[in-house]
Amino acid sequence: MEMAQPVNIISGTSPLFWCHVIGDSIQCSGAQGQNVLRIAMDDVICILPHLSQDKSQYTMIYLRHNTWEAISQLEENTPARLVASILLTSPPSILLSRYLCAELPPHLRSTGSQKLDIHVIISSLSGTGKARRFFSKILQPLLSDIGLTEYEVHQTQSARSILDLCRTKLIVRANLRISQTIILLSGDGGLTDIVGSFHDATNNALVPPSIALIPLGTGNAMASSLNLLSNPAASLTTLVLGRPHPVPTFVTDFSPGVQYLEEGHVRVSVHNPSMNESTGHLRYGAVVASWGVHASLVADSDTPEYRKFGAERFQMAAKELLFPSNGTATHSYHGKLTLLQRNTDPDETKRKTVECEKHMYMLAALVPRLERDFVISPESVPLDGCLRMVHFGPIPPEQAMQLMASAYQGGGHVHEREVFYSEMDGFRIDLLEADERWRRICIDGRIFVIEEGGWVEVRKESRRLVGLLVRSMDDME
């Protein structure tokens, strides 16, 4: 597929192309029909009015073909640009209705006296390490093409970099009533760090930041659920054409001895000395909380050896847990599970303890998908705030694998008789495990180790203190 050369949007001397839509692609041709180009619809990022007196002229910005393959192969210093643009005359209405950006939205421009800070966060540790190349080859050229040159770039150096940035800059600016847009090149973990930091802040009158999520993690549960992985340009189109929507969260409380496994192995106390004793162990999430096989496979696969396999690492770790290579039996997780549901009185909570104290899989999600094709909670709607639990007790490992395979086929596992699936307001687990390997809890991909005899409790949070850019809510259902 031949691609047009990039053009300068400011220039008025670029060649004009006529275009029409054929199936899933756009055919463009110059005068007398020469220079025929075909561009996939899914590669289009946006269409901007051209800076000329002719109101029929537009600049279409798009990704070059096979962008994702290229971004994996290019070195950081390779002088290649993976964003291109072409000057169109009188494009068909179907293109304009889908991609036209008549003017930059409020989250990308200052309006009147309202100052706007724009931050780009490059999470170096996310996924398979493509974030820096994505910024230099795709995002930076795109921002330049839409006329955006004033922004701060922050590159993470450790697992705490985003937390430190929130504490030292983002929350400070939000306290000053300054609007902020955060373009986040990360997975779910980076989003959780921002969500948690703003919920930890003592001032609830903070100006909520607008987050544009560019999915470069491993599972990318939030991005998958928002259809940001539906095509190569989806997250970039959402950056330009999206609008902020409040992000619902849950709050997790732990027993006092809990520790966080930073970067997979470094133990860090969860207690926050800046908070009082009753709230010092709280952590916030926006995606998933789990115990059992899911938490164990996320923890076990968080190594350099596993990470190079991308999302496939989860299936590899799951197989080892269900069919241990040392020949031992599949582990049954021991703990007292209590389900929490609000009564008609919003200040009262009904508690129901599950009779069986042996479990295999226990997960509560605010999103439908954990990966693009892994539908863990088919009834969930992104950002609607409903928390749903998926649970099953000890079953043969072959049967557990079949249930997980059904999740990759549209979420059919929730209809099996072994699976409990229901909406709830929260849950509590009192852990009855001696070996700490089976006392690991997953909160949005972060792993926490509960002390022997300890507990964890998860509840829906009423506050929504950050916004996430989305296109249409209808597109996510």
Side-chain angles (χ1 to χ4, degrees):
M1 184 181 296
E2 185 184 2
M3 286 294 157
Q5 293 300 309
V7 299
N8 187 336
I9 288 181
I10 305 302
S11 170
T13 60
S14 303
L16 272 173
F17 285 79
W18 284 259
C19 72
H20 58 280
V21 175
I22 303 177
D24 295 329
S25 65
I26 307 162
Q27 182 168 302
C28 307
S29 57
Q32 288 81 48
Q34 80 275 24
N35 299 325
V36 176
L37 308 170
R38 194 178 290 268
I39 300 167
M41 286 277 281
D42 284 348
D43 287 338
V44 177
I45 299 172
C46 63
I47 296 176
L48 306 175
H50 192 256
L51 298 181
S52 68
Q53 297 300 315
D54 190 338
K55 302 303 181 183
S56 67
Q57 294 183 9
Y58 297 84
T59 299
M60 184 170 72
I61 305 175
Y62 61 96
L63 291 175
R64 293 182 179 277
H65 188 49
N66 293 327
T67 288
W68 287 107
E69 290 84 346
I71 205 71
S72 301
Q73 298 168 5
L74 290 176
E75 297 297 329
E76 184 71 24
N77 56 358
T78 301
R81 174 189 170 107
L82 298 179
V83 174
S85 54
I86 184 173
L87 185 58
L88 302 178
T89 183
S90 302
S93 58
I94 187 174
L95 284 181
L96 295 179
S97 64
R98 185 169 171 180
Y99 295 110
L100 178 62
C101 177
E103 62 177 357
L104 288 182
H107 63 266
L108 292 179
R109 60 180 169 87
S110 298
T111 54
S113 60
Q114 180 62 56
K115 180 175 173 53
L116 173 68
D117 286 354
I118 298 178
H119 303 270
V120 177
I121 300 178
I122 303 172
S123 181
S124 307
L125 303 175
S126 291
T128 53
K130 298 177 183 177
R132 284 182 295 183
R133 281 172 288 177
F134 189 96
F135 172 72
S136 62
K137 310 304 178 189
I138 296 176
L139 181 60
Q140 191 174 34
L142 171 62
L143 296 179
S144 175
D145 280 354
I146 65 175
L148 196 59
T149 57
E150 295 186 11
Y151 52 87
E152 295 184 49
V153 179
H154 314 272
Q155 186 166 305
T156 65
Q157 304 299 322
S158 73
R160 294 196 58 84
S161 293
I162 295 179
L163 295 171
D164 293 340
L165 176 64
C166 288
R167 176 178 52 84
T168 59
K169 177 165 284 190
L170 302 184
I171 291 175
V172 174
R173 303 292 278 173
N175 265 318
L176 295 174
R177 309 298 297 168
I178 295 173
S179 298
Q180 298 178 99
T181 294
I182 302 168
I183 306 174
L184 181 62
L185 282 67
S186 175
D188 296 314
L191 175 64
T192 300
D193 284 344
I194 298 172
V195 167
S197 296
F198 274 77
H199 280 77
D200 280 339
T202 55
N203 180 8
N204 286 337
L206 298 171
V207 173
S210 296
I211 302 173
L213 183 57
I214 310 295
L216 289 165
T218 304
N220 298 303
M222 180 63 81
S224 298
S225 298
L226 294 172
N227 284 335
L228 296 181
L229 291 170
S230 59
N231 62 69
S235 61
L236 299 172
T237 299
T238 300
L239 166 64
V240 179
L241 298 176
R243 295 292 182 269
H245 190 285
V247 178
T249 60
F250 56 80
V251 58
T252 308
D253 195 6
F254 301 96
S255 48
V258 63
Q259 292 183 311
Y260 166 52
L261 291 186
E262 191 171 273
E263 298 182 352
H265 60 279
V266 180
R267 294 172 181 268
V268 180
S269 173
V270 170
H271 181 67
N272 187 339
S274 67
M275 304 174 70
N276 63 46
E277 189 64 29
S278 64
T279 59
H281 299 106
L282 300 183
R283 287 296 179 270
Y284 294 87
V287 178
V288 64
S290 72
W291 173 58
V293 168
H294 179 267
S296 294
L297 70 87
V298 172
D300 289 349
S301 66
D302 191 17
T303 67
E305 293 75 19
Y306 268 119
R307 278 190 169 272
K308 65 185 180 182
F309 294 103
E312 187 181 347
R313 68 184 172 104
F314 298 132
Q315 297 182 51
M316 296 167 65
K319 184 176 181 181
E320 176 62 27
L321 283 164
L322 295 174
F323 304 93
S325 56
N326 61 8
T328 59
T330 307
H331 184 72
S332 292
Y333 295 77
H334 288 64
K336 185 172 72 173
L337 173 62
T338 303
L339 308 181
L340 309 180
Q341 194 72 51
R342 285 182 187 160
N343 287 328
T344 1
D345 184 344
D347 295 326
E348 293 183 4
T349 299
K350 179 182 177 182
R351 292 173 174 261
K352 179 182 179 182
T353 300
V354 176
E355 289 185 9
C356 182
E357 294 184 347
K358 294 183 178 181
H359 314 270
M360 178 176 276
Y361 194 96
M362 199 241 69
L363 178 148
L366 285 170
V367 298
R369 299 172 184 268
L370 298 186
E371 304 167 29
R372 185 175 63 179
D373 300 318
F374 190 80
V375 185
I376 191 63
S377 178
E379 293 183 14
S380 293
V381 176
L383 307 182
D384 73 347
C386 292
L387 186 68
R388 288 181 168 84
M389 175 176 285
V390 178
H391 172 275
F392 54 88
I395 56 176
E398 296 83 1
Q399 191 175 2
M401 289 292 281
Q402 289 174 359
L403 290 178
M404 293 301 95
S406 294
Y408 280 103
Q409 297 166 3
H413 61 291
V414 300
H415 303 298
E416 300 296 329
R417 62 181 181 84
E418 296 86 1
V419 177
F420 170 79
Y421 179 53
S422 179
E423 182 182 350
M424 64 189 52
D425 289 297
F427 63 88
R428 177 186 171 104
I429 306 169
D430 292 275
L431 293 145
L432 304 175
E433 291 280 2
D435 189 340
E436 73 168 32
R437 184 184 180 194
W438 315 119
R439 289 187 265 113
R440 294 176 295 182
I441 303 294
C442 173
I443 305 295
D444 288 9
R446 309 299 199 202
I447 300 299
F448 299 84
V449 179
I450 311 297
E451 76 274 25
E452 189 170 358
W455 52 268
V456 59
E457 187 166 313
V458 172
R459 291 174 179 266
K460 290 198 299 185
E461 167 65 39
S462 59
R463 299 173 299 161
R464 302 187 180 192
L465 302 181
V466 303
L468 195 58
L469 294 180
V470 298
R471 290 291 304 273
S472 166
M473 297 302 292
D474 293 337
D475 293 340
M476 298 182 292
E477 297 182 2

